[in-house]
Every structure is written in structure tokens, then in C-alpha cells.
Amino acid sequence: MENIYDLIKQRRSVRNFKPDSVDDAVLKRILEAALWAPSAGNTQARMFYLVKNPELKKAVASACFDQDHVELAPVIVVACTDVEAMRALYGKRGTTLYGICDVSAAVENLLLAAWSEGLGSCWVGNFSEQELQKALKIPKRFLPVAVVPLGYPAEIPPSPARKSFDESVVIL
Ligand SMILES: Cc1cc2nc3c(=O)[nH]c(=O)nc-3n(C[C@H](O)[C@H](O)[C@H](O)COP(=O)(O)O)c2cc1C
């Protein structure tokens, strides 16, 4: 197994992709990794839309305020929280915190699994939820939390700096 610390540090947000398609078996492994993320009360109230259709990819990129790299990827994952399930179980805390956390945990698993498969990805958070729901006919109960373009990297950007341990950790 790859060293998990190397995997975490070497993963980069990739915004330039080769046109090569991604095997369904690889996509399934990556999505399975997402499903194994923790969730509040193990509710797993999440839904993932896998977009390969070129017209729909274009619509997703448009909903992401024309971020070109989104459309360039051969596959796009739209990760959603099930707002109705979270509201029924946990009320306001479910919709404003747990639902977002549950999907975010899944997305991080997805990014790391993709990288370990030699795939590039990028967490895209700048989008119109309503436009995405309309373009992909996503029911209102599934609120998009993250858009993740996936594909084989055409280029890997240099590592952006991170804050130091001392700047970010308080030891009491
Ligand atoms: C919540 C969230 C929203 C983001 N939104 C976007 C986005 O809309 N477009 C984009 O190109 N990158 C987006 N990013 C990616 C960040 O810019 C990137 O993770 C950061 O610059 C660090 O680079 P790295 O992922 O290569 O370590 C987002 C990341 C997160 C976690």
C-alpha cells in the first residue's frame, strides 16, 4: 500500500486533463472509497451524480460559472447531501452542518482514491446549486455540495504552500 502521508501531500488540484476516458471499474473503486467515509449516525444521506455526457458536462461547467477545466474532464462527479433525510433526523444541525460534513468527508476520500489511481481531480465549490439541479434534473432534496472533475492529468501543478504546524495548531 502507498504511504498515506505521501498520498495526502502529493495530491494536487488538477485543472488540465488528457481526453482519455476513465474505466468504469476505476470509477467504481473511487466512488466506493467515497461511500466508506464516515457520516453522522452512519446516515450516509448522500447522492453522487456521475456525468459523462458532453452536453451535460457543458451544463455543469456553466453552472460552475464557466470554469473551463470542469468541462475538460472526461467525468464529473456532483456530490450532494440529502437535505430531507438530514432535516428529519437532526433538524437544523443536520442541514447546516452534518450534511455538509458527511459529503465533504466522502469527497476527500474520493480525491485521495482518484490520486492513488493516477487520476487528477479538483474540488470545485463555486457553482449555482439551482443551476446544477436544473441541468441534471437532480431532485430538490439532493443539494449539491461539491463538483469534482476527474481525469488523467495533462499537467500537475506545483504544490501550493501550506501554513506551518505552529501557525495552525494550538497545544494546550
Ligand atoms: C471548499 C472548496 C472549494 C473549492 N472551489 C474551487 C473552485 O471553485 N474552483 C477551483 O478551481 N478550485 C477550487 N478549490 C480547490 C482549491 O483551490 C485547492 O484545493 C487549493 O488551492 C489547494 O491546492 P491543492 O488542492 O493542489 O493542494 C476548492 C477547494 C475547496 C476545499
Side-chain angles (χ1 to χ4, degrees), residues 8-15 64-65 67 69-70 104 107-108 111 121-127 145-147 149 157-162:
I8 288 169
K9 285 190 177 175
Q10 285 164 14
R11 179 210 58 80
R12 288 280 67 75
S13 289
V14 169
R15 298 181 181 85
C64 296
F65 307 111
Q67 296 191 58
H69 64 100
V70 174
S104 297
V107 169
E108 180 64 9
L111 301 187
S121 63
C122 182
W123 186 320
V124 171
N126 192 23
F127 54 76
V145 173
V147 170
S159 173
R162 291 302 197 255

Side-chain angles (χ1 to χ4, degrees), residues 50-64:
L50 221 59
V51 186
K52 298 182 188 179
N53 175 290
E55 286 308 309
L56 293 179
K57 283 198 302 159
K58 194 190 265 293
V60 172
S62 160
C64 296

